[in-house]
Amino acid sequence: MIFLDAAATTPVRREAIEAMWPYLTGQFGNPSSHHGLGETAAAALADAREEVASLLGCLPGEVIFTAGGTEADNLAVKGIALARHAAEPARRRVLISAVEHPAVQESAAYLQRCHGFSVEVVPVDADGRVDPAVFASLLGGGDGATGVRGVHSHNTGIDVALASVMYANNEIGTVQPIAELAAVARAAEVPFHTDAVQAAGWLPIKPGLLGVDALSMSGHKLGAPKGSGVLYLRGRVHAEPLLHGGGQERGARSGTENVAFAVAFAAALRLAEAERPAAAARVAALREAFIAGILHRISGSVLTGHRTERLPSVASFCFPGTSGESVLLELERRSILCSSGSACAAGSDEPSAVLTALGIRSEVAQTAVRFSFSSAITEAELRTAGDAVVGALETIGRLQPGSR
Ligand code: PLP
């Protein structure tokens, strides 16, 4: 089996299992307990937080452990927007890009549905990128007379509660100019969140260098367990909690802390960051060869996403004249596992909203196949996969047998 679906999930790394094992067994204490077992758990949690903070170049108090990327996105989008709106009622607008993961999209939709926010979608170009100038003009909002920055009315004059643009897209791999977008938001005094779930492990993720106020990560894309994650929340930015209770995570997320998963997350992120420069360069070179091979061997195939500003780990195509699902089935018969888009949209008949936002016609979007690689991928595996794609398209009649 060749697993080319690493953007959907990854196996838990042995080091992460070994790091968390004691906290699932002998050292099972509750970090809030005032006895030795509890204190051991609290110390492990504090160490994990410090490790993540040092890898992110931030303060330990800026790291919130969550139950995954979806929760981190929800806490950032809902929590920051609600807190900002409570402090400054004129802030009723939320801006998100057209290619966000459902965790961001649906959080914004909830704000609109239940809290009266107005949600505006920042368009992307045909490669899936947000133009910082377009973003700036949308942040300005309202009267348009003052151009960017929204400096146009009463009180502070700012009416945007939050902007959220993902760092790298899960379906097409396009990487956004996050530092530029964050600078635009900062100049407009608008809190800026980025979903870095796919970027982590492949791109630099220090929030201070990116200039973002909030950044989401998910453990299971990095070799930690599913249901582990982190939200970085810059010191002075407040997020209204989603979960109320005992006030854990400095009040940002109540509930007995998942010490084992926090420890595993820190171990996985440490390894990912140590390996990142070499892995990113090696996998990007393999990805280039894979893309070139597919485009050359399969006439009419279309690479989706930006040609160069893309994750090392993602190559996504449309194969007009097929259906993505039939290609997937044929590939699975050949022991190649990949995806027709994001795992979350799998099973739905709707064309991908990400691909349609790029201007791809829905009948072409239905033919999408995403290949995503882990850092362990080899040249031989990708050669086999390339042959399998050609074979699959021959079987479903899209290519002449033996044509290449
Ligand atoms: N954001 C992006 C870009 C993702 O790709 C995913 C998962 O696929 C998520 C958020 C959700 O993360 P999780 O699966 O940890 O809830």
Side-chain angles (χ1 to χ4, degrees):
M1 188 257 286
I2 300 179
F3 184 72
L4 302 183
D5 205 11
T9 198
T10 59
V12 181
R13 293 184 71 151
R14 171 177 297 278
E15 296 89 338
I17 294 174
E18 284 170 0
M20 76 173 166
W21 181 250
Y23 305 100
L24 293 168
T25 51
Q27 303 297 342
F28 60 89
N30 182 328
S32 299
S33 297
H34 295 285
H35 48 58
L37 206 57
E39 281 156 16
T40 303
L45 184 64
D47 286 351
R49 197 183 308 281
E50 261 169 44
E51 172 119 58
V52 172
S54 96
L55 293 165
L56 293 181
C58 69
L59 298 170
E62 296 176 317
V63 172
I64 301 167
F65 287 110
T66 67
T70 297
E71 187 191 326
D73 283 344
N74 272 254
L75 179 54
V77 174
K78 297 178 192 167
I80 296 174
L82 288 171
R84 264 312 156 99
H85 175 60
E88 292 173 53
R91 295 192 188 242
R92 302 197 69 86
R93 298 169 62 217
V94 168
L95 263 56
I96 63 170
S97 89
V99 291
E100 294 304 307
H101 187 271
V104 166
Q105 263 180 38
E106 292 301 320
S107 293
Y110 162 83
L111 288 171
Q112 178 156 326
R113 195 169 63 246
C114 299
H115 294 274
F117 283 79
S118 111
V119 175
E120 285 156 56
V121 173
V122 186
V124 294
D125 64 18
D127 297 326
R129 299 249 292 176
V130 171
D131 178 342
V134 172
F135 181 55
S137 68
L138 282 169
L139 278 181
D143 60 9
T146 50
V148 294
R149 316 289 182 255
V151 191
H152 59 75
S153 67
H154 39 82
N155 302 332
T156 63
I158 302 162
D159 58 3
V160 181
L162 174 82
S164 182
V165 179
M166 74 198 320
Y167 195 169
N169 185 267
N170 46 304
E171 291 184 44
I172 55 175
T174 294
V175 176
Q176 301 290 348
I178 284 300
E180 273 177 79
L181 296 170
V184 168
R186 194 164 54 250
E189 295 177 41
V190 169
F192 185 79
H193 164 251
T194 193
D195 173 338
V197 165
Q198 293 292 340
W202 297 108
L203 302 173
I205 42 154
K206 289 200 162 123
L209 296 181
L210 295 171
V212 300
D213 296 302
L215 177 144
S216 308
M217 289 186 288
S218 169
H220 75 105
K221 316 286 183 179
L222 289 167
K226 294 167 186 58
S228 63
V230 157
L231 176 67
Y232 157 82
L233 188 62
R234 195 162 68 79
R236 274 170 294 140
V237 178
H238 182 57
E240 197 53 42
L242 305 178
L243 301 180
H244 303 93
Q248 289 90 342
E249 297 294 302
R250 294 170 195 251
R253 183 194 195 267
S254 287
T256 302
E257 301 91 335
N258 192 336
V259 178
F261 278 22
V263 167
F265 185 97
L269 185 63
R270 175 177 7 98
L271 290 170
E273 278 296 285
E275 295 166 1
R276 180 168 57 79
R282 192 183 74 82
V283 175
L286 294 179
R287 176 207 66 194
E288 281 308 285
F290 181 72
I291 290 174
I294 295 288
L295 294 179
H296 173 68
R297 297 172 76 185
I298 302 169
S299 62
S301 55
V302 181
L303 180 71
T304 57
H306 197 279
R307 187 66 196 82
T308 53
E309 296 298 319
R310 62 165 53 236
L311 287 171
S313 50
V314 173
S316 53
F317 302 90
C318 288
F319 299 116
T322 66
S323 85
E325 286 301 325
S326 62
V327 178
L328 281 197
L329 283 176
E330 279 304 321
L331 286 173
E332 184 161 8
R333 282 183 357 112
R334 292 165 171 78
S335 298
I336 310 288
L337 301 189
C338 53
S339 141
S340 61
S342 77
C344 316
S348 121
D349 287 339
E350 293 292 307
S352 146
V354 169
L355 296 179
T356 46
L358 268 50
I360 295 175
R361 292 198 319 278
S362 66
E363 63 271 24
V364 175
Q366 303 273 21
T367 72
V369 179
R370 175 190 72 183
F371 304 91
S372 55
F373 318 129
S374 78
S375 57
I377 192 74
T378 65
E379 191 178 352
E381 285 175 320
L382 285 187
R383 215 175 310 115
T384 305
D387 291 343
V389 177
V390 172
L393 292 191
E394 286 174 354
T395 302
I396 59 184
R398 166 65 176 69
L399 278 181
Q400 291 299 313
S403 59
R404 297 268 183 202

